[in-house]
Amino acid sequence: MRMHRWNIRNISIVIGFSLGIYIICARGHHNYQIEGIIKNTKPEDAWNYVADFSKMKILNPTILNFKILSESGHIHDWRYKVEYTEHLSHWPYWFNIAIGHYIVTKSMPDKQPQTYSIKSQHQTCFLKGLYCLHSESDFDFIAEAEHTRCRESVRYECPLFLAGACKREVIYQRKAIMYNLTNVFNNVKRKH
């Protein structure tokens, strides 16, 4: 009888521990899309601005610092790898380090309409690299008369038990980037 109770207790502990690990480690995949219009701006100008990672500190208020690890290519297909540190918007004392791989492309001049895009893949790590999450972004810049439509599609993974916090973070960052990008170009036009 005593051995039977010990087995039930141990089995319960193992099941509880396994369930706890699953809840912490299980990840869901999510999507988010945002669009904005930058008036009286050429797609190439907005694309050039966003492609320059040094401008990302202006666009995304959560980025603290960065360093370019490698770059290659030419004006129609430029690739770079960047390491950056950021804090979470809702938990400003919680930091993470991410590695981003960027592919910045524009179509050849003879192709109409011209296309401008920035594709990126990110590995964002917490707890000194012990826990990492992946995300991808497709950022397109499309001419609409004399304006530019900016469209970003983000795919990201998040622990299931933090799905709400991850969504808030993604929405905050993407809205901040779109808002700040629009303001940068509107302020430039006001100065002229």
Side-chain angles (χ1 to χ4, degrees):
M1 184 72 169
R2 187 173 176 191
M3 188 67 136
H4 179 65
R5 272 188 261 150
W6 186 86
N7 284 336
I8 292 174
R9 190 182 95 209
N10 282 346
I11 290 171
S12 298
I13 289 170
V14 168
I15 290 172
F17 182 74
S18 298
L19 186 59
I21 294 293
Y22 173 77
I23 288 171
I24 291 171
C25 294
R27 301 171 185 194
H29 292 83
H30 310 275
N31 297 303
Y32 181 73
Q33 186 171 28
I34 188 168
E35 288 190 11
I37 297 284
I38 304 175
K39 296 187 183 224
N40 303 312
T41 300
K42 294 177 183 174
E44 187 168 17
D45 294 339
W47 171 77
N48 272 323
Y49 192 90
V50 175
D52 179 354
F53 201 87
S54 67
K55 303 290 197 277
M56 201 46 74
K57 285 180 75 170
I58 296 166
L59 299 176
N60 184 346
T62 66
I63 292 181
L64 302 171
N65 56 52
F66 72 95
K67 66 180 172 184
I68 302 296
L69 301 176
S70 66
E71 61 182 315
S72 64
H74 51 80
I75 191 70
H76 293 279
D77 188 341
W78 174 42
R79 297 164 188 247
Y80 65 92
K81 179 179 175 182
V82 61
E83 178 183 84
Y84 56 97
T85 303
E86 63 184 349
H87 65 83
L88 298 178
S89 63
H90 296 86
W91 298 329
Y93 301 107
W94 188 272
F95 301 96
N96 63 70
I97 295 176
I99 301 287
H101 296 268
Y102 284 79
I103 302 172
V104 181
T105 58
K106 73 175 182 176
S107 58
M108 298 305 267
D110 58 340
K111 183 179 181 231
Q112 293 301 324
Q114 286 262 268
T115 58
Y116 302 89
S117 71
I118 301 171
K119 295 182 183 309
S120 60
Q121 295 181 343
H122 305 261
Q123 180 177 349
T124 304
C125 296
F126 301 88
L127 305 171
K128 298 190 179 203
L130 291 174
Y131 190 76
C132 298
L133 299 169
H134 296 88
S135 61
E136 297 177 356
S137 167
D138 293 326
F139 207 143
D140 297 312
F141 304 83
I142 304 144
E144 289 189 0
E146 67 274 1
H147 311 304
T148 295
R149 177 177 298 278
C150 300
R151 179 183 308 133
E152 186 179 20
S153 299
V154 179
R155 291 164 302 289
Y156 63 96
E157 65 180 4
C158 180
L160 295 177
F161 76 102
L162 289 175
C166 290
K167 184 176 181 178
R168 275 195 315 274
E169 188 66 28
V170 168
I171 290 172
Y172 172 84
Q173 287 187 20
R174 286 13 268 172
K175 283 186 175 181
I177 289 169
M178 201 63 73
Y179 176 81
N180 291 332
L181 180 60
T182 302
N183 279 342
V184 163
F185 281 92
N186 286 341
N187 289 335
V188 166
K189 286 168 189 59
R190 279 190 218 125
K191 290 179 183 175
H192 290 294

